[in-house]
């Protein structure tokens, strides 16, 4: 009897998957030209914008530099043996702001540093015992911070990084779940305020202080633990997005104890990406969020009463990142033309470009047609030798399945 039940469940699941596959096919056809898509070989897991270029960490085991105006791939960095999950930049000439060194992290548990002038590999560091999930560079103090599915946040000294790999400079291991994202800033006294967040929705605030001695070390002191989310935190930009369908905007530290709290920005589906434009070069009171396959724009000029201005049904799979691109071009009469764009990446394998004015003026019944945001069910994890695979969480199994699935 149990075998019949199992078979019946399998048949029901298969029918549901077929229905989802057909819905995805139809959605892909309907949205195929929206946002001037740039088609990738894999999926963009992380993206950084520098000038008119997008730098992406891709599930196809590479990092790329892409011209946002033409969509052409200008550079490919090969060397990782698993999906590249994160990237950051560091100055080749210290404190010059040139950002000529590219730093990448991967599910192969390593951190690599590259020369962007030559694409040459400078160093490889066996950084963690599990997937490297995110990287943060604090250039003024020559600090690299990495987080991982091994639940540990590590500090690396970038002094003389052209001559030697990043040197271990401390760590924190206070999280009980994989650390999904980090953020931080250098303070005037040389210390660093660091935020670390995990897949249980726990966000910790640290003060890092550099200790003297021949080998730089960073001492960490826990300042605060914040529990604003009930599940996985997916992004911190001094705001947070979460798989609990909310974006939390929390003053830290509050200016006064009687300051009115800002209500969470609730969504019908998990939020994987946020872009607070007030913290960008645009300096406008808007927050852009990505939930399911939809991009939403909030007006937060009155923080206690956030207003949804518009939505774009942007992709046919989950939005994974949102970035601001300030396009600069020359007019025929020699003047500089500046136009803001929102750049989105998705598990549909595309980078898409949206004029900010289009998003601001959009409505739910957008050019793609009014349709409900969707979450695509995960597919089974690719087969392989179990002995060679790192033990991963259920959440990471779903993430890996999404990254590796073939359409």
């Amino acid at each position: 009897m149990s075998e019949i039940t199992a078979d019946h469940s399998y048949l029901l699941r298969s029918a549901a998957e077929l229905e989802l596959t057909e819905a995805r096919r139809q959605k892909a056809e309907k949205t195929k030209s929206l946002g001037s898509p740039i088609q990738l070989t894999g999926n963009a897991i992380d993206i950084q914008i520098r000038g008119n270029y997008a730098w992406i960490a891709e599930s196809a085991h590479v990092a790329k530099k892409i011209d946002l105006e033409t969509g052409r791939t200008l550079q490919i960095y090969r060397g990782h043996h698993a999906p590249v999950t994160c990237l950051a930049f560091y100055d080749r000439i210290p404190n010059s702001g040139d950002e000529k060194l590219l730093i990448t992290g991967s599910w192969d548990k390593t951190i690599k540093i590259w020369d962007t002038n030559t694409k040459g590999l400078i160093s490889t560091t066996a950084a963690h015992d599990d997937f490297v999930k995110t990287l943060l560079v604090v250039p003024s103090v020559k600090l690299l911070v990495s987080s991982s599915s091994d639940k540990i946040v590590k500090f690396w000294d970038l002094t003389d990084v052209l001559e030697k790999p990043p040197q271990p400079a401390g760590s924190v291991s206070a999280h009980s779940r994989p650390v999904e994202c980090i953020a931080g800033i250098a303070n005037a006294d040389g210390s660093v305020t660091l935020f670390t967040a995990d897949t249980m929705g726990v966000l910790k605030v640290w003060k890092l202080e550099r200790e003297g001695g021949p080998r730089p070390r960073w001492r960490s002191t826990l300042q605060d633990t914040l529990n604003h989310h009930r599940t996985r935190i997916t992004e911190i930009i001094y705001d947070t997005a979460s798989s609990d369908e909310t974006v939390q905007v929390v003053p830290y530290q509050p200016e006064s104890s009687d300051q009115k709290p800002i209500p969470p920005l609730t969504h019908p589906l998990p939020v994987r990406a946020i872009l607070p434009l007030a913290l960008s070069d645009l300096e406008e009171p808007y927050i852009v969020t990505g939930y399911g396959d939809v991009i939403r724009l909030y007006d937060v000029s009155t923080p206690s009463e956030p207003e949804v201005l518009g939505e774009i049904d942007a992709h046919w799979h989950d939005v994974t990142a949102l970035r601001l691109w300030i396009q600069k071009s020359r007019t025929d009469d020699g003047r500089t033309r500046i136009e803001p764009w929102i750049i989105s990446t998705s598990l549909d394998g595309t980078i898409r470009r949206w004029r900010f004015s289009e998003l601001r003026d959009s409505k739910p019944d957008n050019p793609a047609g009014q349709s409900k945001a969707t979450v695509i069910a995960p597919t089974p994890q690719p087969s392989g030798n179990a002995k060679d695979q790192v033990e991963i969480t259920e959440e990471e199994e779903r993430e890996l399945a999404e990254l590796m699935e073939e359409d």
Side-chain angles (χ1 to χ4, degrees):
M1 185 69 179
S2 61
E3 291 182 359
I4 295 176
T5 302
D7 289 344
H8 181 62
S9 299
Y10 177 77
L11 289 173
L12 287 176
R13 184 167 60 87
S14 297
E17 287 177 355
L18 287 172
E19 186 176 344
L20 271 173
T21 299
E22 176 60 20
R24 288 174 59 184
R25 187 193 66 79
Q26 293 181 14
K27 182 75 179 294
E29 178 64 24
K30 188 161 55 173
T31 62
K32 65 182 180 181
S33 61
L34 288 181
S36 303
I38 301 171
Q39 188 66 51
L40 304 174
T41 304
N43 296 315
I45 306 175
D46 191 15
I47 181 171
Q48 302 291 334
I49 307 298
R50 295 294 186 273
N52 287 335
Y53 306 110
W55 296 79
I56 65 167
E58 192 172 316
S59 63
H61 305 188
V62 299
K64 291 179 179 177
K65 178 184 180 182
I66 296 175
D67 189 320
L68 285 171
E69 293 185 324
T70 66
R72 291 180 55 241
T73 298
L74 303 179
Q75 293 181 337
I76 302 178
Y77 294 82
R78 296 183 174 91
H80 284 290
H81 304 293
V84 182
T85 53
C86 46
L87 48 81
F89 293 90
Y90 186 63
D91 294 343
R92 182 182 179 88
I93 301 173
N95 301 316
S96 68
D98 61 27
E99 293 191 326
K100 293 295 185 181
L101 301 182
L102 172 67
I103 307 175
T104 57
S106 168
W107 281 22
D108 66 12
K109 300 177 280 189
T110 68
I111 294 173
K112 294 181 182 290
I113 299 182
W114 314 79
D115 186 332
T116 60
N117 287 333
T118 65
K119 293 196 306 179
L121 178 62
I122 296 173
S123 66
T124 298
T125 301
H128 286 272
D129 294 329
D130 210 329
F131 306 146
V132 179
K133 299 306 290 270
T134 189
L135 298 170
L136 169 71
V137 169
V138 188
S140 62
V141 293
K142 301 179 181 179
L143 174 65
L144 170 67
V145 184
S146 62
S147 73
S148 167
S149 294
D150 63 12
K151 310 169 190 175
I152 298 175
V153 177
K154 292 189 176 183
F155 314 138
W156 308 89
D157 180 52
L158 294 176
T159 303
D160 300 325
V161 74
L162 292 175
E163 283 73 41
K164 59 186 180 183
Q167 299 299 296
S171 65
V172 295
S173 54
H175 285 276
S176 62
R177 291 294 186 272
V179 181
E180 192 82 359
C181 48
I182 53 181
I185 190 170
N187 302 314
D189 61 1
S191 66
V192 173
T193 299
L194 178 69
F195 298 82
T196 61
D198 64 30
T199 58
M200 283 292 288
V202 176
L203 193 157
K204 294 182 180 292
V205 186
W206 307 86
K207 182 178 182 179
L208 308 184
E209 296 174 289
R210 185 166 177 163
E211 298 178 333
R215 294 184 57 186
R217 302 285 297 178
W218 288 88
R219 182 177 71 254
S220 58
T221 304
L222 182 62
Q223 302 287 295
D224 209 347
T225 298
L226 309 176
N227 294 285
H228 295 291
H229 294 285
R230 67 177 188 271
T231 186
R232 172 186 181 186
I233 297 176
T234 55
E235 190 161 15
I236 308 172
I237 317 179
Y238 292 112
D239 294 337
T240 59
S242 172
S243 293
D244 66 5
E245 300 96 34
T246 69
V247 171
Q248 301 277 355
V249 183
V250 182
Y252 190 85
Q253 297 276 347
E255 295 178 1
S256 64
S257 58
D258 59 352
Q259 183 173 343
K260 187 177 181 179
I262 300 172
L265 308 180
T266 58
H267 296 72
L269 293 170
V271 180
R272 296 186 66 156
I274 54 174
L275 176 59
L277 295 178
L279 303 181
S280 72
D281 292 340
L282 201 57
E283 297 183 348
E284 295 286 352
Y286 302 111
I287 294 178
V288 187
T289 64
Y291 72 94
D293 44 27
V294 171
I295 298 173
R296 175 181 284 184
L297 179 67
Y298 284 90
D299 182 344
V300 291
S301 54
T302 304
S304 60
E305 299 177 356
E307 178 187 0
V308 177
L309 291 186
E311 289 186 346
I312 292 180
D313 203 8
H315 292 267
W316 57 264
H317 210 319
D318 290 357
V319 176
T320 55
L322 295 165
R323 300 290 185 264
L324 175 67
W325 170 34
I326 302 294
Q327 183 186 28
K328 296 181 180 180
S329 58
R330 288 284 184 180
T331 62
D332 293 339
D333 57 4
R335 292 183 296 176
T336 300
R337 182 172 180 266
I338 298 176
E339 184 174 17
W341 296 68
I342 304 301
I343 304 299
S344 61
T345 64
S346 165
L347 292 177
D348 66 10
T350 65
I351 300 172
R352 305 200 185 212
R353 298 159 284 186
W354 313 92
R355 283 185 170 86
F356 175 69
S357 58
E358 293 176 343
L359 179 57
R360 185 184 56 208
D361 298 335
S362 66
K363 300 296 178 187
D365 53 345
N366 56 73
Q370 190 169 1
S371 59
K372 188 177 180 181
T374 58
V375 172
I376 304 305
T379 57
Q381 184 176 345
S383 59
N385 188 343
K387 293 187 297 182
D388 297 332
Q389 295 178 359
V390 178
E391 183 178 351
I392 61 177
T393 65
E394 181 182 352
E395 182 73 31
E396 288 165 341
E397 287 181 356
R398 291 197 295 270
E399 184 178 354
L400 180 60
E402 288 174 330
L403 293 176
M404 306 300 274
E405 69 181 345
E406 294 182 358
D407 298 316

